[in-house]
């Protein structure tokens, strides 16, 4: 699925990165704990979060994440958007909750990670 298709699916508003909407995504991961993102995310993953601080951008930079969906209508600060622009990350916001965002993506064929916690 392309990010453009994801925008339509989630009825999202693109805040940054309109020129990159034709990039492919293959999985999704939702968390407000960046340590979990670091432990479980793989390639071409869309990050769904309600956390809007600069730590999200640092995590995306380390994992080469190219698309973030801020759930619950959250909009990050200008500082965070500037950082995302420097990193080339597509940023969007949706009014859906994290749970519903994941559900919509799952119904459309986007799956989560296959990694397990071992717990």
């Amino acid at each position: 699925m392309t990010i453009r298709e994801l925008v339509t699916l989630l009825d999202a508003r693109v805040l940054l990165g309109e020129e990159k909407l034709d990039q492919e995504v293959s999985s999704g991961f939702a968390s407000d704990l960046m340590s979990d993102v670091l432990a479980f995310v793989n390639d071409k993953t869309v990050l769904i979060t309600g956390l809007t601080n600069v730590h999200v951008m640092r995590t995306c930079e380390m994992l080469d994440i190219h698309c973030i969906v801020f759930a619950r209508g959250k909009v990050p600060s200008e500082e965070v958007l500037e950082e995302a622009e420097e990193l080339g990350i597509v940023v969007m916001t949706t009014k859906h909750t994290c749970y519903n965002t994941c559900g919509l993506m799952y119904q459309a064929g986007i799956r989560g990670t296959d990694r397990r916690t071992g717990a």
Side-chain angles (χ1 to χ4, degrees):
M1 173 178 285
T2 66
I3 296 172
R4 184 178 312 282
E5 292 168 319
L6 191 61
V7 170
T8 302
L9 177 71
L10 301 176
D11 192 25
R13 180 169 56 103
V14 177
L15 304 174
L16 193 65
E18 295 251 358
E19 70 282 358
K20 298 178 180 182
L21 297 183
D22 293 319
Q23 291 182 15
E24 292 284 326
V25 295
S26 59
S27 63
F29 191 83
S31 185
D32 288 345
L33 293 171
M34 293 302 106
S35 58
D36 281 356
V37 177
L38 287 167
F40 296 105
V41 166
N42 50 17
D43 289 347
K44 295 185 181 179
T45 299
V46 175
L47 175 60
I48 302 108
T49 188
L51 190 64
T52 60
N53 65 39
V54 74
H55 299 296
V56 174
M57 294 306 130
R58 295 286 169 250
T59 302
C60 290
E61 180 180 25
M62 285 189 269
L63 296 172
D64 204 25
I65 292 173
H66 299 287
C67 181
I68 302 173
V69 177
F70 289 104
R72 302 185 305 276
K74 298 250 185 136
V75 175
S77 69
E78 280 302 314
E79 174 190 13
V80 172
L81 289 173
E82 287 171 9
E83 189 70 26
E85 186 171 32
E86 284 181 29
L87 296 171
I89 298 171
V90 177
V91 178
M92 64 180 94
T93 183
T94 182
K95 299 257 185 219
H96 296 291
T97 63
C98 286
Y99 183 83
N100 287 343
T101 298
C102 292
L104 290 166
M105 290 172 62
Y106 191 88
Q107 281 182 322
I110 300 293
R111 299 298 186 248
T113 180
D114 288 335
R115 294 184 185 173
R116 304 281 184 234
T117 64

